[in-house]
Amino acid sequence: MLSRVFTGSLYGLESELITVETDLSAGLPALTLVGLPDLTVKESKERIRSAIINSNYKFPAKRITINLAPASTKKEGTHFDLPIAIGILASIKIIDSMTIKDFAFIGELSLDGKVNHINGALPLVIGIRNKGIKKIVLPISNAKEVSIIDDVEIYPISKIDEIVDYFLNKTIIKPYKNSGYNIITTLRKDKADFSDVSGQETVKRALQIGVAASHNILMIGPPGAGKTMVARRIPSIMPPMTYEEKLEVTKLYSIAGELSERSPMILDRPFRAPHHTISAVAMVGGGSKPRPGEVSLAHYGVLFLDEFPEFNRKVIEMLRQPMEDEKITINRISSSLTFPSKIMVVAAMNPCPCGYYGDSNHECTCKPYQIHNYLSKISGPLLDRMDIQIEIMPVNYDSLIGNNKIKPRNSEEMRKEIERARTVQLERYKKEDINYNSQLNPNLIKKYCILNKESKDLMKEAFYKFSLSARAYNKIIKLSRTIADIDGINQIEAKHIAEAIQYRSLDKIVRGI
Ligand SMILES: [Zn+2]
C-alpha cells in the first residue's frame, strides 16, 4: 500500500514542497530511505520506529521503502520524522490516506512519541503555503512563531497520537490563532534612545551621516568613552522595517532557533554584537545543520564589532563578501546555500593597546612601535570599507549631569533627517543600480558629485596635504555627498568636504605617532 504525505525542505531561506512516499512490500522487515536524505534524515529511522511503537501502534513487519520526492535535492533536518511516521501509519491504514491529503506535516519525534520543537518552522510553513497547502501540523512550541502567517491553518500537537486521534475523529484540534500578535506589535520594548546620550553631538552627527547612506563606521576611543552605548542606539535612527523586511529577518531567526515564545516576530532592526573570540562559522554561518551566522542575523540592521583589532584576522576577512554582495554564500560538501546580509558594520577600537593614546586625562604608556603593531592589525581591505572613522572621548562632567545648554538630540529628530536624505538618494539613483551614496563607484561619483570651484580647491589641497590615495579621495567625495543630503542641499559645498575630511581619525592617529 502506497501512501503520500506532504512536508517541506529548507535551502537557505527558501523552502520546497516535498512528498514523502511510503511503500510496503513483502520481504524481510527493513526500513529504507531514498531521495537524497542526508545523515540527519537517515538517523530518523530509529526515532520513528520507537515513537510509533511507544505510542501503541503496530510497526509493520514488512519491507518499508520511503522516497522523499523530488529526489534531486538534498534533504536535511529532523523535521522529516513526523511526516515519515504519518506516512508509515497511513500505509498500514491506521490513518485513512484521503483524510490527510490536504495537510502537510513538520516535526521532530522523541522515542516516546512526543513531537519536538524544530528550527526553521517559519520559512518551511511559508514555502508549503506557497505551494497551496494551507493546513499544517507542527510542534506546539512552533505554533506561535508561524501564526504570523495569516492564511494557513496551524494544527499544533505535542504527541503523535493527538493527530492520529484527530484524523480518526476521536478528538478535536482547534487551528491555532495568535491573539497576541497585535499586542506584540503595539507594545514595543522600551527603546534605547539617543536622548540618553549627552555631550556626544559630533559622534551622533557622524552616526547620522553613516546611517543616512549606509556608510560603515569605525569608532576609536578609550575605554569608558561610550562606544557600545552609542552603537546600541543606531537601530533607533534607522527607518522602521517594512512588513516584508520583518518577515525576512524573522525567517533567519527561525532557522537559527533564536525566536522565543515571547518574541515570535522580529520587529526591530537587529543589533548584533558578537564577541571578538567568535569563530568563522558563527560569524558567516554554516555548520552541519546550516545556520545563518551573525552577518545574516544582523540583516537590515547593525553588526557591531567591539575590540575590532582583537578579532581573528580570518574571520574579519570573511566579512568582505557580505559587505560587498549583501549576501553570504556558504559552500558545503555537496551544495551551497545563500543567506541575505544587508548590514551596516560599526567597528570600535581603542586607539592603542593601553587605550589612552590621545586622551588628555590619562597618560598613554605605549611605545610607538606597540601602537603601530596594534593599528596594523586592522589595516587592509576591510578598513577601506569603513567610510567614516571617528574619535569618541568620554563626556565631560557638565555634559554628564546635563549642565550644558544644548538639549541632546533624540532619535526621532535624527531619524527624520535620515529618512529625508534617504528619499533624496533613492530618487537620485532610481535609474542606477544603487540606492545610496555609499555604493557610488568612481564613474557614478563623476556623474552625481559635481564639485564647485571652492570644493575643488579644498579637495586639491587635501589631496596634497594628506597624500590621499584615489580610494581615499573618492571616499571623501561620497561622504560629502551624504553630508550635503543630510543638510538638504543639492550642491556639494566646501563645508561638506571639510566635514568629510574630519572623518579620517585613524589616519590622523597613524600620522601622529
Ligand atoms: Zn597607549
Side-chain angles (χ1 to χ4, degrees):
M1 171 73 195
L2 181 73
S3 74
R4 285 196 180 86
V5 175
F6 292 120
T7 186
S9 185
L10 208 51
Y11 309 93
L13 265 193
E14 305 308 318
S15 77
E16 187 181 21
L17 189 69
I18 301 292
T19 309
V20 179
E21 299 171 337
T22 308
D23 187 39
L24 297 190
S25 55
L28 282 176
L31 177 57
T32 314
L33 265 171
V34 295
L36 272 186
D38 85 337
L39 208 62
T40 53
V41 184
K42 283 186 187 148
E43 277 175 356
S44 66
K45 287 189 207 172
E46 292 313 308
R47 280 197 303 275
I48 293 166
R49 185 195 308 271
S50 297
I52 289 178
I53 292 166
N54 289 328
S55 301
N56 297 317
Y57 303 114
K58 212 178 92 204
F59 195 85
K62 291 194 170 176
R63 186 173 170 76
I64 308 168
T65 308
I66 290 160
N67 179 34
L68 306 174
S72 54
T73 48
K74 195 150 179 93
K75 321 294 185 309
E76 294 180 83
T78 52
H79 68 273
F80 289 100
D81 291 6
L82 179 64
I84 292 172
I86 296 291
I88 292 171
L89 294 174
S91 70
I92 53 172
K93 296 187 178 168
I94 288 178
I95 305 172
D96 179 354
S97 288
M98 287 310 285
T99 60
I100 58 171
K101 69 179 176 31
D102 296 330
F103 286 80
F105 301 80
I106 52 175
E108 179 190 302
L109 296 176
S110 286
L111 300 182
D112 60 359
K114 278 204 191 81
V115 180
N116 298 331
H117 187 88
I118 57 158
N119 289 344
L122 181 66
L124 278 169
V125 167
I126 291 173
I128 292 167
R129 177 206 60 179
N130 291 349
K131 290 282 157 58
I133 310 279
K134 301 284 179 73
K135 297 179 176 186
I136 299 169
V137 180
L138 47 64
I140 197 160
S141 59
N142 287 107
K144 205 165 186 176
E145 147 191 2
V146 299
S147 66
I148 60 172
I149 309 299
D150 48 14
D151 55 347
V152 285
E153 276 179 30
I154 301 300
Y155 292 78
I157 56 168
S158 53
K159 282 164 70 196
I160 194 168
D161 55 6
E162 291 171 13
I163 193 66
V164 176
D165 285 351
Y166 171 79
F167 288 124
L168 296 178
N169 288 323
K170 288 186 185 168
T171 180
I172 292 169
I173 299 175
K174 266 172 70 185
Y176 183 87
K177 282 271 170 281
N178 184 3
S179 53
Y181 175 60
N182 289 334
I183 302 166
I184 298 161
T185 48
T186 48
L187 266 185
R188 305 180 80 173
K189 275 175 283 162
D190 226 8
K191 288 246 195 55
D193 193 282
F194 271 111
S195 58
D196 315 329
V197 181
S198 312
Q200 295 284 19
E201 294 305 314
T202 47
V203 173
K204 283 158 73 173
R205 162 93 177 166
L207 299 180
Q208 198 186 14
I209 293 162
V211 171
S214 217
H215 296 288
N216 300 309
I217 297 178
L218 175 65
M219 288 193 280
I220 305 153
K227 289 172 284 199
T228 306
M229 186 189 183
V230 298
R232 246 177 220 298
R233 284 162 174 74
I234 295 175
S236 73
I237 56 172
M238 295 175 135
M241 289 194 284
T242 62
Y243 178 76
E244 289 305 316
E245 287 171 341
K246 287 174 191 168
L247 199 58
E248 199 170 318
V249 175
T250 305
K251 280 188 198 176
L252 289 160
Y253 280 69
S254 170
I255 297 168
E258 290 214 10
L259 290 175
S260 67
E261 287 265 312
R262 285 186 58 202
S263 54
M265 186 166 192
I266 304 294
L267 303 169
D268 296 322
R269 290 195 183 262
F271 176 84
R272 303 291 297 192
H275 190 257
H276 59 75
T277 52
I278 189 172
S279 70
V281 168
M283 182 65 105
V284 297
S288 55
K289 285 185 197 170
R291 183 185 186 281
E294 291 295 323
V295 294
S296 297
L297 295 172
H299 185 45
Y300 291 133
V302 173
L303 180 69
F304 179 55
L305 308 172
D306 199 9
E307 310 278 358
F308 188 44
E310 305 301 327
F311 278 81
N312 181 317
R313 192 91 196 207
K314 201 179 122 216
V315 173
I316 292 295
E317 290 290 315
M318 291 176 96
L319 294 176
R320 285 166 64 181
Q321 195 218 346
M323 282 171 83
E324 226 148 71
D325 304 343
E326 302 189 329
K327 62 182 183 205
I328 180 91
T329 305
I330 298 160
N331 291 314
R332 316 181 67 220
I333 297 165
S334 57
S335 60
S336 69
L337 53 91
T338 302
F339 289 120
S341 174
K342 271 191 183 169
I343 50 173
M344 177 172 164
V345 175
V346 178
M349 60 184 284
N350 294 337
C352 66
C354 86
Y356 295 110
Y357 182 78
D359 186 339
S360 49
N361 298 319
H362 292 84
E363 201 185 337
C364 167
T365 55
C366 308
K367 303 264 187 303
Y369 78 90
Q370 289 175 310
I371 303 180
H372 260 296
N373 287 349
Y374 176 76
L375 296 178
S376 66
K377 286 196 208 168
I378 57 150
S379 61
L382 199 68
L383 190 59
D384 278 343
R385 285 172 179 77
M386 298 288 175
D387 288 351
I388 300 179
Q389 305 161 5
I390 41 165
E391 265 173 288
I392 169 167
M393 286 295 162
V395 288
N396 61 34
Y397 181 73
D398 279 352
S399 301
L400 197 65
I401 59 166
N403 229 351
N404 56 345
K405 299 277 189 312
I406 313 158
K407 204 172 134 241
R409 305 189 74 206
N410 66 38
S411 296
E412 199 189 335
E413 285 171 58
M414 292 167 72
R415 191 177 62 241
K416 281 194 175 140
E417 291 174 5
I418 286 168
E419 284 175 349
R420 203 188 55 209
R422 284 194 171 202
T423 309
V424 168
Q425 295 171 73
L426 291 174
E427 177 65 25
R428 182 188 299 135
Y429 303 129
K430 66 179 179 214
K431 289 186 184 144
E432 307 289 351
D433 202 15
I434 62 167
N435 294 325
Y436 300 117
N437 298 331
S438 58
Q439 299 164 304
L440 286 167
N441 62 33
N443 283 334
L444 293 175
I445 287 176
K446 285 197 188 95
K447 189 167 168 191
Y448 291 107
C449 305
I450 315 277
L451 304 185
N452 60 19
K453 166 129 196 349
E454 217 186 330
S455 320
K456 265 189 200 150
D457 290 347
L458 187 57
M459 272 316 290
K460 195 171 168 188
E461 196 187 319
F463 186 78
Y464 290 113
K465 189 172 167 194
F466 304 121
S467 21
L468 296 178
S469 63
R471 191 186 271 272
Y473 181 90
N474 283 331
K475 219 193 277 190
I476 291 173
I477 296 186
K478 278 197 280 189
L479 211 49
S480 312
R481 178 68 275 166
T482 306
I483 296 168
D485 288 339
I486 277 276
D487 288 355
I489 297 171
N490 192 35
Q491 174 64 52
I492 299 174
E493 295 172 1
K495 63 174 181 187
H496 304 130
I497 302 266
E499 186 176 345
I501 292 170
Q502 297 288 309
Y503 299 129
R504 303 177 47 75
S505 297
L506 193 70
D507 306 294
K508 217 163 78 194
I509 294 169
V510 172
R511 274 199 307 276
I513 47 176

